[in-house]
Every structure is written in structure tokens, then in C-alpha cells.
Amino acid sequence: MKRMEAIELPAEEIAHQKALMREFALLENRPRTYCVVTYGCQMNAHDSEKLEGMLIEMGMTKAESREAADFVIFNTCCVRDNAQRRALGNVVWLKELKKTKPDMMVAVCGCMMQQKGMGEQILRQYPFVDLAFGTHNLYRFAQLMLQAVRSRRRVVEVIQEDEGSIPEDLPVLRSSPYHAYITIMYGCNNFCSYCIVPYVRGRERSRASARIIEEARQLKADGVREIMLLGQNVNSYGLDVEGELSFAQLLKELDGIGIERIRFMTSHPKDISDELIDVIAESKHICHALHLPVQHGSTRVLESMNRRYTREKYLARVRAIREKIPDMSLTTDLIVGYPGETEEEFEETCSLVSEVGYDSAFTFIYSPRIGTRAADMPDQIPEKESSRRIQKLIAIQKENTRRNYAAYIGQIHSVLVDEASKRDETQMAGKNEYNITVNFPGKKDLIGQIVRVKITSAGESTLRGEMVNL
Ligand code: SAH
Ligand code: SF4
Ligand code: F3S
């Protein structure tokens, strides 16, 4: 059912939280420096920018290193077992450090914390963790910290709700002056059978378009040149709110603001509409780079994954996109070793990857997540077999990348300059509109500018070129 309006938290609640941030800053006996350690996707990266925004308001400054910080917070991911293990491994590593620095505070938050039973597990198995909370109560961070510091007791708060809310106006410390993330929607309703995200991020909830447009205007005024719109499935933006703009309409509005580059992720192939393709084709600022995760090449597996498209439908969408936008750079996510995946079905993934010819792809070995449907399916594939399959798939994609990148040689690309190379300060690095890193000789004062670069050679994952004056 559609809501009449976006489910924002009351403005008084956020004002209350901001007052608590200032209250925290006045405490005598509190940590002074912080370190935020982030795992997972761009959503988490942006949540960490909000954590930092709040930490600054709470009177803290960024520490030189993790070891030097009075307060370390881990913003965790649990999408695959290795993501979760890496996060937990690092938390445990801090236990030793804490023995030599008894006043140090340790917190854990993010998707891993939002899993069922994780709060209890932290209390039982990780006694050196002072504070833990989930994704739904990130906005209560100052309140929870205040409680932990004042009571000198451990605080664990995970709100088990499916819905989730929308916190507006939290302070944000953006990590770059030129790029910015804008969350356009939270949560996911798709329940792909392998995926934990809907369980830890709640239901789809779109921010009000007026809020998003206002934020983009402000970012432009602040000098931002590239925005990345975030959502687990941006194509279903607005569908949960009565009378809200569609994603295509929102993009059109944002294009009109005049920020040089607009990117978005992630697009679910099941509902990439013709309207959306047209808007991208006609826009001035929407980059011709589309991350369109296919996950698998076999219709039987896609059905079992609950992806709601077939191999043929996916390929037809790719054709429709390329017909209207011939230079569209496509990237994807792929899973191998999904339960019951036969050799023939795996081969279908390989042939689809060759057929589409992606610029690049993220390849993952299926990782069972407790509570998801696929975790209980029979015929789980042994690790050794999955490893063999992923190696083969990576080799196929590598060939695609080599061929596509070679075809860029001779073209002139616009590059937003990010940084000087760490090894050689006369070499600059930035992203072209296809989101590929381009290296070229240049001066540091180009950082933050968009320049024209003629591509002269291609590496395995980057391009190289020379600036041209056009
Ligand atoms: N919302 C995005 C993806 C979010 S997770 C989308 O639908 O495309 C990022 C990627 O992690 C997914 O695209 C998928 O390829 C991978 N992934 C998710 N769950 C996984 C699991 N259990 N095992 C292996 N890979 C997984
Ligand atoms: Fe996970 Fe599927 Fe939602 Fe993406 S669309 S976050 S893969 S459930
Ligand atoms: Fe990981 Fe959560 Fe993102 S599980 S991939 S950080 S939404």
C-alpha cells in the first residue's frame, strides 16, 4: 500500500538529537578523537559520513590513526560471510589495543549489528565493546554515546522493526569537496533469495523529492561537481509514496540543476523503464555508465533467486539501452556457486557475460546468509568448485575489459581530477564519465577540475592519457 507522504522522523526528534550532540560536547570526561572504520557498500560509506558529521558536532576531532583514537567505531557489513568476518576480526584486534589504553571506547554499528541475535552476541562474546546499535537507530547515536559515557556501562540498542524511518537534516561530513552521495531511498523490498539486505535495512522508503532536489541545489552551491544517488533499487524510487515523482522524473529534475555529473546506483534490471532510458539519453548531465547487476545467466537460477526477470528479458533491456545510448558503459554483479547451480547453468553466466561485454564486473562466490531462503536450499556448492568457476568467470570478464578499454584509445574523455598519484606527484588520477580511472601527467592544482584527456593506452583496470586543450 502506498503512503500519503514520506515517513520522515519528526523535526523535533532530530532537533532533540542535535541538542544532545551539543550536550555531549560539554562533557568533561569524554573521548576527544575518533576513528570511523567502514565496511560494505556506498550506503554504509554515506552513513559513516553522517556518523562523522555527528561526531564533529559532539566536539570530537578525527584521530591520526586507529591506534591513536580515543573512540573507534566500526560501521559493518554482512552481505557475505567474509565481509562480516573481516569486520569482527578487526573488532577483536582492538581488544588487545584496549588493554594498553583502558579509556578507549569501542563501538559497532551497521548492517551486521542489525541481524537477529547480534545484540545478544555482542553482549556475551565481546565484553570490550562499549556501544552497539543497528541501522534503524543511527540517528540516535549522540543519545546512546551520552548514555554510555555518563553511565560508564555498556549500551546495546538494536531496534527490530521492518519498516524503518527517514531521518532528515542529520549533520554530514562529506569526504570529498567535489563528489557527494545523496540517499534517495532507504531499504529494499525485493527479497532476492540469497540476500540479507532487506532484513537489515528495512522496507523501501523514498525520501521526498523536494528534499532531494533541495539537497542537490545546496551541494551545487557548495561546489560539488558529481553526485551519486543511492538506493538498493533506485528504479523503484517514489513507488511507495502517493503522488511522488518516478525515478525518471526525479532524474530529469536533478539534471536541470546543472551539477556536471549525475550517477546512481543500484538499478534493478526488472524495472528499468523505457522512460528512464529516454531521460538518460536526453539529459545533459547523467553519466553514460550503468551498473546493472544481472547476478546470473540462467533463467532457472534467476527464478530461484527471485530476481523477476529472465535471461532473455535482461538481454533485451541491454539491447534497448544500447540502441538509444550506444556509448553506455555497462557494469554488473555476478554470483557463482548459488545452491543447485549446474555446470551448464554456470556456463550460461559465462556466455551472458561474453555476450553483453561489460566494461567491468564484480564477481562473488555465493555465501549463505542465515535467515534467507537460499541458505536452506539443498545442493550447496562446495567451495572448491565455486572457486574454479569464479576463476573462469573472472578470466572471461578480464578479456571483455581488455577489449573495451582498448577501444577507448584515441577517444577524448572528460575527467574529474581526484588526486595526485602517491608514487609520483606529477601524475594525476580521476574518473571519466564511464567511471573508469584515468591517469595522466598534470599539476596538482587541477584537482577538483574537469579536464579533457585523450586516451593513449589501457591497463588492466585503468586508462592512461594526455590532457588536450579543447
Ligand atoms: N541492491 C543491489 C545490490 C546490493 S548487494 C542490487 O540488487 O543489485 C551487492 C551485491 O552483493 C549483489 O549485487 C550481489 O551480487 C552480491 N550478494 C548479495 N548477497 C550475496 C550472497 N549471499 N552471496 C554472494 N554475493 C551476494
Ligand atoms: Fe539484495 Fe536483491 Fe535487494 Fe539488491 S535487490 S539489496 S540483491 S534483495
Ligand atoms: Fe553490506 Fe549493508 Fe551495504 S550488508 S552491502 S553495508 S547495505
Side-chain angles (χ1 to χ4, degrees), residues 297-305 338-342 345 348:
S298 147
T299 294
R300 192 212 52 94
V301 176
L302 287 169
E303 199 171 301
S304 170
M305 285 178 162
Y338 179 80
E341 179 191 68
T342 64
E345 286 165 347
E348 288 189 79

Side-chain angles (χ1 to χ4, degrees), residues 188-192 194-198 232-233 268 295 307:
C188 181
N189 287 355
N190 289 316
F191 290 94
C192 300
Y194 51 81
C195 184
I196 193 84
V197 170
Q232 292 300 347
N233 173 17
H268 195 301
Q295 313 296 0
R307 289 292 288 180

